[in-house]
Amino acid sequence: MSNLQLRAADGHEFSAYFIRPEGPPRGAVVVVQEAFGVNSHIRRLVEQYAAEGYFAVAPALYDRQKKGVDLGYDPQSLEQGIALLQKADPKGVLADLSATIDAGVHAGRVAMVGYCWGGQMTYLAGCRTNIAAGIAYYGGGIPRWLPETPRCPMLFHFGEQDAHIPLADVEKIRQAFPQGTYHLYPAGHGFNCPERASFDAASAHLAFTRSIEFLHQHIG
């Protein structure tokens, strides 16, 4: 495990946490952060996908504003994360994601999986980049990008009890992009994160199993 230094097309340099799998990679997975930066949860996800045989990499998407953002889930950290998220320029984010995709092509086909804000950015990347597949976990704000729709297969995980993403929004996405695969879980927002009070182990396990099956189907 280590950090890469990557350069976006506009010259911005940023870091990315990555792990190479043991043996030949099945492909690459770009892991896209929540509002809290490349924190312990995101690093653990990189480790999870690498353990499944993928070159896994998480770009530090806040580096354009502040280097080394690594926040927890307490109210103060949430406030800091939301402030950074609101200032993030989607064009800059896409430039950084594109550079990260390019860094993964040596491993084969490249997929992207994003969480919360990262789920929204994964949806946008599916519309505007060349990823082979995308997975969005409780991606809030996706309806703002409709009627743009992804050019690649997409898998969506949503919590039925998510106070931040109404089921009406899920239905909007489904209607705009019926080709997507949609799963609902009896859980709230952030159900995949053990560091959140909303963590739901059964839903997290099922969603990860489905995600790995989806990756095997679409990138190897």
Side-chain angles (χ1 to χ4, degrees):
M1 68 187 77
S2 188
N3 284 308
L4 288 169
Q5 290 299 312
L6 301 177
R7 183 191 295 267
D10 62 3
H12 168 66
E13 295 186 355
F14 61 100
S15 66
Y17 179 77
F18 80 100
I19 300 179
R20 299 184 191 280
E22 293 184 10
R26 302 181 67 111
V29 176
V30 176
V31 179
V32 191
Q33 67 182 58
E34 304 170 306
F36 308 97
V38 181
N39 62 4
S40 59
H41 175 50
I42 298 301
R43 294 193 297 271
R44 191 161 47 243
L45 289 167
V46 170
E47 293 159 8
Q48 269 190 293
Y49 287 105
E52 295 291 334
Y54 297 98
F55 173 80
V57 55
L61 298 178
Y62 287 159
D63 273 11
R64 287 179 180 266
Q65 301 177 58
K66 183 179 179 181
K67 301 286 187 181
V69 175
D70 180 348
L71 299 172
Y73 295 90
D74 57 279
Q76 184 178 4
S77 294
L78 176 61
E79 187 176 330
Q80 293 175 44
I82 289 175
L84 289 163
L85 183 157
Q86 290 175 339
K87 292 177 183 176
D89 176 12
K91 289 183 180 179
V93 171
L94 279 175
D96 296 348
L97 290 176
S98 294
T100 310
I101 294 164
D102 290 344
V105 294
H106 73 277
R109 292 162 66 82
V110 182
M112 186 174 292
V113 54
Y115 300 80
C116 190
W117 176 62
Q120 178 190 152
M121 292 299 102
T122 297
Y123 182 91
L124 189 59
C127 299
R128 300 187 187 179
T129 74
N130 60 350
I131 55 172
I135 303 172
Y137 275 76
Y138 32 84
I142 291 175
R144 70 179 285 202
W145 301 110
L146 301 177
E148 284 190 69
T149 53
R151 302 179 292 193
C152 65
M154 289 281 300
L155 172 64
F156 299 87
H157 302 297
F158 290 105
E160 293 173 322
Q161 300 157 23
D162 193 326
H164 304 283
I165 305 173
L167 292 178
D169 279 4
V170 178
E171 188 56 31
K172 286 178 186 176
I173 302 164
R174 193 194 298 267
Q175 289 182 6
F177 186 55
Q179 307 95 315
T181 301
Y182 299 83
H183 293 295
L184 293 173
Y185 301 84
H189 191 76
F191 67 79
N192 187 67
C193 178
E195 298 173 38
R196 292 179 183 254
S198 57
F199 176 59
D200 185 285
S203 296
H205 176 75
L206 180 56
F208 185 70
T209 300
R210 286 168 167 167
S211 295
I212 294 301
E213 290 174 352
F214 184 79
L215 292 175
H216 287 177
Q217 179 182 358
H218 294 290
I219 70 168

